[in-house]
Amino acid sequence: MESNGKAEKHGLERDADLQLLLVGGELLKVRSSSWKKNRFYKLQEDCTTMWHESHRTFKRNQTFSIDEIESVRKGRQSEGLQKHTEAHVEDRCFSIIFKGRRRNLDLIATSAEEARQWVNGLEKIISNMKKLNSQQTSEHWIFNCMRKADKNKDNKMTLKELKHFLRQINIEVDDMYAEVLFAKCDKSNSGSLEGPEIKHFYDLLIYREEIDVIYGKYATTGEQMSVKDLLNFLLNEQREVATMEDAVSLIERYELDDSAKQKNHMTKDGFLMYLHQEEGSIFNPAHKEVFQDMSQPINHYFISSSHNTYLMEDQLKGHSSTEAYIKALMKSCRCVELDCWDGAHGEPIIYHGHTLTSKVLFKDVIKAIKEYAFKTSEYPVILSLENHCTLEQQKLMAKHMISILGSALLTSPLEDQMPTAFPSPQDLKGRFIIKGKRLNKLDAVFSNTSPGVEEDCVSEEDEAAETSNSKTDTNGQKAKAKKSKIKLAKQLSDLVIYCKSVHFSGFEHAKDKQAFYEMSSFKESKAVNLAETAGNAFIHHNMTKLSRIYPAGSRTDSSNYNPVSLWNAGCQIVALNFQTPSKEMDLNQGRFRSNGVSGYVLKPGFQRYPGTEFDPMTLTKGPWLKRKTFHIMVISAQQLPKLNKDKCKSIVDPLVKVEIDGVPADTCSKETRSIENNGFNPMWNETFQFDIQVPELALVRFLVEDYDSTSQNDLIGQYCLPLTSLQNGYRHVPLLTKHGDVIPSAGLFVHLMLLDAK
């Protein structure tokens, strides 16, 4: 049973870094200042699994998949290594950062060269894994399951092992079917499958009837698709603007059979390969890059925003960490929150006040933000300060931001004279903007008068007042907040340029009395009420101002509210708890999947242009009404993961939900029937129709669940994207975990048609 994951398949068979990983070696595992122990680590021969020894009683040997790794960091770049190691071991340190909430693996090699080889080797394997297309990933996953089923490692498969394998790949078959399948492949009548017989079994297993039907419909040239047939498919089925040259290009890239390629033909294997590429994905490849106008004022964009960014878990006892900022920024979050309090030894700290959450140094957070802010997006990052510090520590906050962020920190308007509107994301590339309280108006920057007071009292932030003055009782409930004042240091005040926090006193007051750079924060309940009762007024407010929405203080479990109604009202900074997997975070990931995952998405024109009468609740006639009929057929799924891996006989009963989230008139959900005991290749062939009124605000969410008649269904995978970013025709839909990470081998196969309503 040869692995397609081995080094030679990765093109790395002679790579010295990879060879070190395959041989393995001892590394010092670091958990705390007092817990540092040598453990042996080794990359297994499949080049996709890392083995390591464990001294736990019931887990002497453990493995983790390379797919579980989010990144590898060289040096003391994790919170744990910075806290528990000395600077002199910097060049021997590295960290493995996992997806989801799994704890980082902090390691120290015996030499700097060995650390370099471990980091380089792991990065090469991760890079090669990402380059595998969906079809190769699928084959790779099936092979690994075959290998696990081969209990005696003789590279043969008995009937008993075959049954075990089928359960591994999440498909339940009765004994008779398993025996028929086995007999069909056991040409030698030896009682076990080997070599070509296993290949035959594999081919029978991956056969997809639905692909046969589609291919047969368009392949008019004998048994293969001609370039003309392929173009016909692209134009009529996929509804693409395609040319003969485009069809030739697809054959050149994805056809595996050289003789077919020479004839400009595409075989069934090549066709399936094409469908698994980004050209065959539901998500429009053109939207993977920044394609929107980025020169509009910054308030004309939805901005990916995080609440209580420092928390890894809940708001009562959760862990505060620089890692939480790194994870949010690496997901292109462009507005992060810093709750600042006086710390010991004169150093300001960040944590959730009046709770048992752990604390992290303000300067360490600023360092992490500086390091990771622009790795996935070059567009500006807003630092939303919730300031509870005394004057001296406020001055230190300002000093840290100026010294650490340097010239990237915006300390004065971009213009040489008093601005009248916001600059654009394009203008602010690579810059940090501070949101907080300010002692005076922005025009004081251009005034020739005296510098003014060094400090003064200002009212607390609306959310800060809620935190400072409302202690949490044993039930997690908070008493009503009373507004208080704090002293504000000029040094900190002067860093607030385009995002001066002010209390909201009504839309008319904001229109008449507030400058464009004066912005308000709204608790979710107040914001939702305004969106529902004064939607048009809220939209007009957001044409000239920025609005930030934050979760209610009663959400001590760090749960989230639905952001869609606030986006419908034009609110830009709709802050969510990034640390909490939820439907709301799925929607946030879907909203910002488009435009190059830059963290900025241009609002529709009817939310930006003066005079608009758009109200998401009433939907009067206007340019926002672009009625569409959305037809979708949920055809099949491939290789859905087992949810209970500890029970070998546990097989999922999958169903698919398709949800539309947008204006209330468009919000709708439909679902397929469940299919018993088949997570490997379930087929539904069920058709749904949705009538869409405002497509520019609609999101489509696919949800695959394991049906349970006695309790709530379990999530298998999900995927969300803007309706305007999907492609018509036969498409594969990738599936993500609840944390938003790709499930490498799993997916849905659907047929979509978004048409103008008649």
Side-chain angles (χ1 to χ4, degrees):
M1 235 181 276
E2 283 298 307
S3 167
N4 66 350
K6 285 189 175 182
E8 62 268 22
K9 296 294 183 183
H10 283 281
L12 298 172
E13 63 271 21
R14 294 186 179 87
D15 187 271
D17 297 332
L18 188 66
Q19 291 306 315
L20 173 77
L21 270 62
L22 288 167
V23 171
E26 279 207 342
L27 297 167
L28 188 66
K29 182 178 179 180
V30 178
R31 278 196 177 163
S32 68
S33 299
S34 57
W35 198 105
K36 298 175 182 175
K37 298 183 180 180
N38 283 310
R39 295 287 184 264
F40 192 86
Y41 290 82
K42 180 180 185 296
L43 181 68
Q44 298 203 353
E45 281 194 15
D46 64 1
C47 286
T48 65
T49 312
M50 185 68 72
W51 177 91
H52 60 101
E53 65 176 325
S54 172
H55 289 193
R56 293 182 186 179
T57 306
F58 299 107
K59 292 187 176 181
R60 305 301 295 176
N61 300 310
Q62 289 185 297
T63 62
F64 59 84
S65 169
I66 298 296
D67 280 330
E68 296 174 48
I69 300 175
E70 185 174 272
S71 63
V72 184
R73 296 185 200 152
K74 191 174 187 304
R76 295 165 65 243
Q77 293 298 310
S78 74
E79 192 172 37
L81 286 175
Q82 288 174 2
K83 192 174 181 180
H84 304 308
T85 63
E86 301 296 326
H88 67 84
V89 296
E90 173 82 31
D91 59 357
R92 291 165 47 204
C93 293
F94 66 97
S95 299
I96 295 174
I97 313 300
F98 293 100
K99 297 171 182 175
R101 287 187 176 176
R102 181 169 175 170
R103 190 175 183 174
N104 296 344
L105 187 55
D106 292 327
L107 301 165
I108 304 177
T110 54
S111 69
E113 174 59 18
E114 188 180 327
R116 184 196 66 77
Q117 285 190 281
W118 273 98
V119 172
N120 287 356
L122 284 168
E123 286 181 340
K124 287 170 187 174
I125 290 291
I126 293 168
S127 175
N128 274 278
M129 288 285 286
K130 287 179 179 176
K131 287 176 185 174
L132 289 177
N133 61 53
S134 301
Q135 181 69 7
Q136 289 169 321
T137 305
S138 164
E139 292 171 0
H140 184 78
W141 178 77
I142 292 172
F143 169 80
N144 279 339
C145 292
M146 279 181 160
R147 187 172 47 81
K148 288 175 185 173
D150 183 14
K151 294 294 187 182
N152 59 5
K153 309 300 178 192
D154 63 353
N155 286 331
K156 297 178 183 179
M157 187 176 284
T158 64
L159 178 59
K160 185 179 179 181
E161 287 174 334
L162 179 138
K163 290 177 182 178
H164 179 71
F165 165 70
L166 291 172
R167 290 195 192 99
Q168 284 276 334
I169 63 171
N170 211 358
I171 184 169
E172 184 68 54
V173 296
D174 60 36
D175 287 348
M176 185 177 292
Y177 178 75
E179 288 168 13
V180 168
L181 196 63
F182 187 86
K184 189 180 286 189
C185 299
D186 185 16
K187 304 291 186 185
S188 60
N189 295 315
S190 63
S192 62
L193 306 183
E194 56 183 310
E197 294 172 337
I198 291 177
K199 174 70 168 66
H200 185 210
F201 168 70
Y202 170 79
D203 289 339
L204 287 175
L205 200 64
I206 64 167
Y207 170 70
R208 286 179 59 183
E209 179 187 352
E210 70 273 34
I211 301 299
D212 260 15
V213 172
I214 301 163
Y215 186 81
K217 179 181 175 182
Y218 284 92
T220 62
T221 313
E223 295 184 357
Q224 294 182 349
M225 264 191 186
S226 67
V227 68
K228 189 177 178 182
D229 294 337
L230 180 57
L231 179 60
N232 189 27
F233 173 78
L234 296 174
L235 293 173
N236 297 316
E237 204 68 68
Q238 308 295 72
R239 299 296 177 100
E240 295 180 12
V241 181
T243 64
M244 194 68 80
E245 287 73 22
D246 295 323
V248 170
S249 176
L250 289 176
I251 292 171
E252 283 295 322
R253 275 177 287 163
Y254 304 127
E255 180 50 58
L256 305 174
D257 186 314
D258 287 337
S259 63
K261 191 182 287 188
Q262 286 173 2
K263 300 174 191 171
N264 264 346
H265 283 189
M266 183 173 264
T267 62
K268 196 185 305 174
D269 287 343
F271 183 66
L272 183 57
M273 185 74 78
Y274 145 70
L275 285 174
H276 275 294
Q277 306 304 315
E278 66 173 21
E279 291 93 341
S281 169
I282 186 174
F283 187 71
N284 186 343
H287 292 191
K288 287 189 173 183
E289 308 297 329
V290 173
F291 70 96
Q292 294 180 328
D293 176 9
M294 301 302 281
S295 63
Q296 302 264 340
I298 199 170
N299 63 309
H300 283 189
Y301 298 81
F302 298 125
I303 303 171
S304 181
S305 307
S306 162
H307 173 255
N308 286 354
T309 314
Y310 47 89
L311 286 177
M312 299 289 281
E313 298 166 37
D314 68 73
Q315 299 179 25
L316 293 181
K317 296 177 287 184
H319 179 55
S320 302
S321 171
T322 56
E323 288 296 330
Y325 285 92
I326 294 169
K327 283 183 179 290
L329 291 167
M330 292 302 284
K331 290 179 179 177
S332 294
C333 175
R334 299 292 87 187
C335 179
V336 296
E337 185 180 18
L338 298 87
D339 285 8
C340 310
W341 299 79
D342 278 1
H345 314 298
E347 279 290 345
I349 56 172
I350 290 176
Y351 86 115
H352 199 58
H354 308 304
T355 67
L356 299 177
T357 58
S358 62
K359 303 170 177 67
V360 60
L361 287 176
F362 177 83
K363 65 180 179 182
D364 287 347
V365 168
I366 298 300
K367 287 176 183 175
I369 290 172
K370 164 72 172 175
E371 179 71 22
Y372 289 92
F374 305 111
K375 285 189 180 293
T376 58
S377 171
E378 58 188 344
Y379 292 100
V381 171
I382 299 169
L383 307 187
S384 181
L385 302 183
E386 192 177 293
N387 173 24
H388 305 268
C389 293
T390 55
L391 287 172
E392 288 309 308
Q393 295 210 13
Q394 287 180 38
K395 292 173 185 176
L396 198 51
M397 284 167 59
K399 182 180 177 183
H400 285 325
M401 287 192 287
I402 291 167
S403 63
I404 295 168
L405 302 179
S407 60
L409 178 64
L410 198 71
T411 56
S412 63
L414 297 182
E415 301 86 341
D416 294 329
Q417 57 188 16
M418 181 60 197
T420 57
F422 289 102
S424 70
Q426 183 72 29
D427 297 330
L428 293 164
K429 271 186 183 179
R431 304 301 294 273
F432 294 100
I433 304 166
I434 305 301
K435 174 197 166 290
K437 289 288 180 177
R438 186 179 169 92
L439 291 169
N440 51 19
K441 294 277 189 182
L442 188 59
D443 52 11
V445 174
F446 300 96
S447 171
N448 293 321
T449 58
S450 62
V453 294
E454 287 297 312
E455 61 196 56
D456 203 352
C457 287
V458 294
S459 61
E460 277 194 303
E461 293 266 3
D462 288 356
E463 186 177 1
E466 190 180 346
T467 304
S468 296
N469 296 299
S470 53
K471 304 223 175 164
T472 307
D473 65 22
T474 54
N475 295 316
Q477 299 298 311
K478 291 190 174 183
K480 189 174 180 180
K482 294 178 182 177
K483 210 61 176 282
S484 63
K485 289 184 175 283
I486 61 165
K487 279 192 172 181
L488 180 63
K490 183 177 184 297
Q491 291 90 329
L492 190 59
S493 166
D494 286 350
L495 298 182
V496 176
I497 306 300
Y498 290 115
C499 295
K500 177 185 176 182
S501 299
V502 298
H503 180 68
F504 180 72
S505 301
F507 292 128
E508 285 302 315
H509 177 272
K511 182 180 177 182
D512 297 336
K513 304 292 185 183
Q514 279 180 220
F516 76 90
Y517 57 84
E518 293 180 313
M519 63 175 290
S520 300
S521 291
F522 302 82
K523 185 163 68 174
E524 63 173 274
S525 55
K526 183 173 185 177
V528 169
N529 182 57
L530 288 171
E532 291 178 352
T533 61
N536 185 253
F538 214 166
I539 286 166
H540 278 274
H541 174 81
N542 289 321
M543 284 182 187
T544 55
K545 313 284 192 302
L546 281 168
S547 292
R548 176 178 174 269
I549 320 300
Y550 61 90
S554 58
R555 293 184 182 273
T556 53
D557 57 353
S558 291
S559 59
N560 279 309
Y561 57 96
N562 192 322
V564 174
S565 64
L566 289 316
W567 289 327
N568 291 344
C571 298
Q572 302 89 349
I573 302 175
V574 182
L576 298 178
N577 291 307
F578 269 51
Q579 70 272 27
T580 307
S582 57
K583 173 182 176 176
E584 295 79 16
M585 275 306 300
D586 295 348
L587 293 171
N588 194 76
Q589 189 175 18
R591 169 66 70 206
F592 293 100
R593 189 178 306 286
S594 185
N595 205 33
V597 199
S598 63
Y600 285 84
V601 171
L602 186 65
K603 295 194 283 186
F606 54 79
Q607 289 187 324
R608 294 182 276 126
Y609 302 143
T612 183
E613 296 179 6
F614 174 67
D615 186 322
M617 301 303 293
T618 58
L619 290 189
T620 55
K621 284 187 178 181
W624 45 87
L625 286 181
K626 299 176 181 175
R627 292 187 176 91
K628 302 280 185 183
T629 302
F630 181 38
H631 300 275
I632 175 165
M633 176 186 274
V634 179
I635 301 172
S636 61
Q638 294 77 46
Q639 296 163 35
L640 303 176
K642 287 181 67 169
L643 297 181
N644 192 343
K645 294 182 180 178
D646 295 330
K647 291 185 178 179
C648 70
K649 293 191 177 182
S650 171
I651 309 295
V652 299
D653 303 326
L655 63 82
V656 179
K657 292 181 180 177
V658 183
E659 300 174 349
I660 304 293
D661 287 273
V663 298
D666 291 341
T667 300
C668 185
S669 177
K670 299 185 180 183
E671 67 181 68
T672 67
R673 70 191 187 283
S674 63
I675 293 180
E676 287 189 23
N677 293 330
N678 187 353
F680 181 72
N681 57 1
M683 189 173 288
W684 293 274
N685 286 323
E686 292 191 39
T687 303
F688 305 124
Q689 178 179 316
F690 298 89
D691 296 315
I692 312 292
Q693 310 297 312
V694 188
E696 289 176 273
L697 288 175
L699 295 165
V700 186
R701 180 171 177 250
F702 294 88
L703 196 64
V704 184
E705 294 180 340
D706 181 14
Y707 174 72
D708 193 320
S709 60
T710 60
S711 63
Q712 187 175 356
N713 294 346
D714 292 320
L715 173 70
I716 297 174
Q718 55 81 24
Y719 187 77
C720 184
L721 77 164
L723 183 73
T724 53
S725 290
L726 63 76
Q727 299 196 96
N728 283 321
Y730 288 103
R731 303 292 174 182
H732 278 102
V733 182
L735 290 177
L736 313 179
T737 66
K738 65 179 181 179
H739 294 286
D741 300 312
V742 174
I743 304 171
S745 57
L748 289 175
F749 188 54
V750 298
H751 184 270
L752 312 161
M753 204 55 66
L754 185 63
L755 304 170
D756 292 333
K758 293 180 180 178

